[in-house]
Amino acid sequence: MQILKLSNAQIETKNHEVKHNDKVKISSVGGIAVQADSSPSPTVDTDDREGWLFTKPASDTSKFNYYIYGSVGSSHPYTFADLKSVHLCCSVDSWENSASVPIINVYSKPTGSGDAGAFYHSRKDYAINMSNQKIIAGEHINLYAGDRPELSNDNRSIPLETLTSNGTCAGTEEILYIVVGSDSGSLINTKILLTEAGYNLNNEIKRSIKFVA
């Protein structure tokens, strides 16, 4: 899955650093590509808040997966070692346990030898460590893995400190996808409002994507 086209609001260059402030609309071609295999699809928030709302409808493995980076069509490959940070801005509206909190998945390209998954070579999963954090239901927060990003909001920033690896996860492996998603183990009626997500690649490309309903 790749992001085919996102509306670009601003591009700034400074000291060889490129900052992208993009947006993707829920019903657009780009929005549908970003949603990919999410089930159910996101909806507009009933309280008119900005962003995409995910509501888990049943006690099953339903979850959202929003693909914010895809290597297909890019001119240059980036590796695990190049990924400095990934972030998402959200509100966890229905709190039950740590599975209520969104997660980050980073996949590397399959090589055909020692691949850990059907479509990827290795995978890194970042999740919250609730022994170190406290979250209020409905609070707007910034979740991040890696370096703490500089974001233009007043949200509290919380690191996703628990890293689980599947495969070798060598720093030289080329990134296939970067995905922000919900935990398939979350309980029925889990509600998550996502407003923004992005990443920092080698301190050269810093991208922030706003989710527009």
Side-chain angles (χ1 to χ4, degrees):
M1 183 57 58
Q2 61 174 314
I3 300 176
L4 301 178
K5 182 179 180 182
L6 298 177
S7 177
N8 189 274
Q10 180 180 0
I11 297 178
E12 300 176 357
T13 59
K14 181 180 180 182
N15 298 329
H16 306 294
E17 174 187 293
V18 180
K19 292 184 178 180
H20 296 272
N21 293 305
D22 298 327
K23 59 184 179 180
V24 58
K25 193 168 184 178
I26 196 170
S27 59
S28 69
V29 173
I32 293 172
V34 169
Q35 296 168 35
D37 51 354
S38 300
S39 178
S41 299
T43 63
V44 175
D45 181 55
T46 54
D47 293 319
D48 294 329
R49 294 174 298 175
E50 296 181 356
W52 295 4
L53 180 66
F54 168 80
T55 304
K56 187 163 184 175
S59 297
D60 54 19
T61 57
S62 298
K63 61 173 296 189
F64 70 83
N65 296 305
Y66 299 155
Y67 290 70
I68 62 172
Y69 171 88
S71 63
V72 177
S74 298
S75 65
H76 180 81
Y78 284 93
T79 65
F80 277 148
D82 291 326
L83 185 61
K84 303 305 180 185
S85 69
V86 184
H87 72 270
L88 64 148
C89 309
C90 67
S91 171
V92 181
D93 290 348
S94 177
W95 175 259
E96 296 292 344
N97 51 38
S98 59
S100 302
V101 181
I103 58 178
I104 293 172
N105 310 115
V106 186
Y107 300 88
S108 65
K109 297 178 182 178
T111 64
S113 176
D115 293 336
F119 67 90
Y120 64 89
H121 187 73
S122 300
R123 187 185 75 224
K124 292 184 176 183
D125 302 327
Y126 298 88
I128 197 166
N129 181 350
M130 287 310 303
S131 63
N132 296 334
Q133 307 296 339
K134 297 177 181 179
I135 297 175
I136 298 173
E139 177 188 8
H140 293 280
I141 55 176
N142 302 326
L143 299 174
Y144 69 93
D147 298 339
R148 178 173 175 168
E150 297 179 2
L151 301 175
S152 57
N153 62 48
D154 296 324
N155 300 350
R156 189 161 58 96
S157 292
I158 300 174
L160 297 177
E161 302 173 297
T162 302
L163 170 61
T164 303
S165 300
N166 185 21
T168 53
C169 294
T172 55
E173 293 178 29
E174 295 180 4
I175 297 172
L176 175 65
Y177 300 131
I178 300 175
V179 183
V180 296
S182 60
D183 191 324
S184 60
S186 63
L187 299 182
I188 185 174
N189 295 324
T190 292
K191 287 187 176 183
I192 299 170
L193 181 76
L194 186 67
T195 59
E196 185 177 331
Y199 48 83
N200 177 348
L201 292 170
N202 203 31
N203 292 321
E204 295 175 319
I205 297 177
K206 294 181 179 180
R207 192 171 202 184
S208 190
I209 305 165
K210 294 186 181 298
F211 293 84
V212 180

